[in-house]
């Protein structure tokens, strides 16, 4: 009795010689050795150095993005105060507005940027650790 599977007849006999034909469906040779990323990083091999370099580049990119946001938020303030003396002359509760902005409002903004940066750095490190665990 023969069985058809994927267009190949299994258990069939060779029609010319009458002997049984063995059909192999999978190649059982071992594949290339897996890259053990954790070992590569620990032993500081060329692959490990590239993995760490990639981590450092990702961290640097995140830091530069946060720094750019901080510069965009705070660099224009002196120009604003110089260009619009009306803004500088405002003094709620007897304190000039530029002091309120720089001494009070800037800290929550910097704290928010710091928290955002910490979250990004932790995410990048978690992804790096997951990459090492997969290897």
């Amino acid at each position: 009795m023969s069985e058809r599977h994927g267009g190949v007849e299994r258990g069939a006999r060779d029609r010319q010689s009458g002997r049984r034909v063995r059909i192999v469906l999978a190649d059982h040779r071992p594949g290339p050795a897996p890259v053990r990323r954790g070992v590569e990083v620990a032993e500081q091999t060329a692959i490990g150095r590239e993995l760490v370099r990639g981590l450092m580049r990702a961290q640097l990119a995140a830091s530069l993005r946060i720094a750019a946001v901080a510069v965009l938020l705070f660099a224009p303030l002196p120009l604003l105060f110089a260009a619009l003396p009306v803004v500088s002359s405002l003094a709620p509760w007897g304190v000039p507005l530029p002091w309120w902005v720089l001494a009070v409002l800037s800290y929550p903004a910097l704290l928010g940027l710091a928290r955002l940066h910490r979250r990004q750095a932790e995410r990048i490190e978690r992804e790096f650790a997951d990459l090492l665990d997969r290897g």
Side-chain angles (χ1 to χ4, degrees):
M1 174 180 256
S2 66
E3 166 188 334
R4 299 269 308 162
H5 182 70
V8 176
E9 196 170 305
R10 280 196 209 171
R13 297 200 178 268
D14 186 1
R15 300 204 193 290
Q16 294 164 350
S17 67
R19 63 186 179 111
R20 198 159 172 85
V21 177
R22 180 175 179 208
I23 300 173
V24 178
L25 297 177
D27 188 6
H28 293 291
R29 289 181 289 169
V35 176
R36 297 181 353 209
R37 295 176 187 107
V39 173
E40 298 287 340
V41 170
E43 293 179 357
Q44 297 181 356
T45 63
I47 294 173
R49 284 191 299 271
E50 284 301 315
L51 289 170
V52 171
R53 194 172 293 134
L55 170 66
M56 291 172 60
R57 272 188 297 237
Q59 294 283 22
L60 177 63
S63 298
L64 291 176
R65 283 191 301 269
I66 295 295
V69 170
V71 166
L72 289 173
L73 281 175
F74 295 108
L77 290 178
L79 297 172
L80 174 72
F81 297 142
L84 299 172
V86 172
V87 174
S88 296
S89 66
L90 294 174
W93 296 288
V95 179
L97 184 63
W99 283 97
W100 283 109
V101 171
L102 295 174
V104 177
L105 298 179
S106 63
Y107 289 104
L110 290 172
L111 181 63
L113 288 174
R115 286 185 177 175
L116 178 63
H117 180 262
R118 188 194 71 216
R119 268 192 254 131
Q120 286 181 348
E122 288 173 349
R123 179 187 50 81
I124 291 168
E125 289 174 2
R126 196 170 37 255
E127 289 172 357
F128 182 73
D130 290 345
L131 175 71
L132 293 182
D133 289 342
R134 278 187 267 142

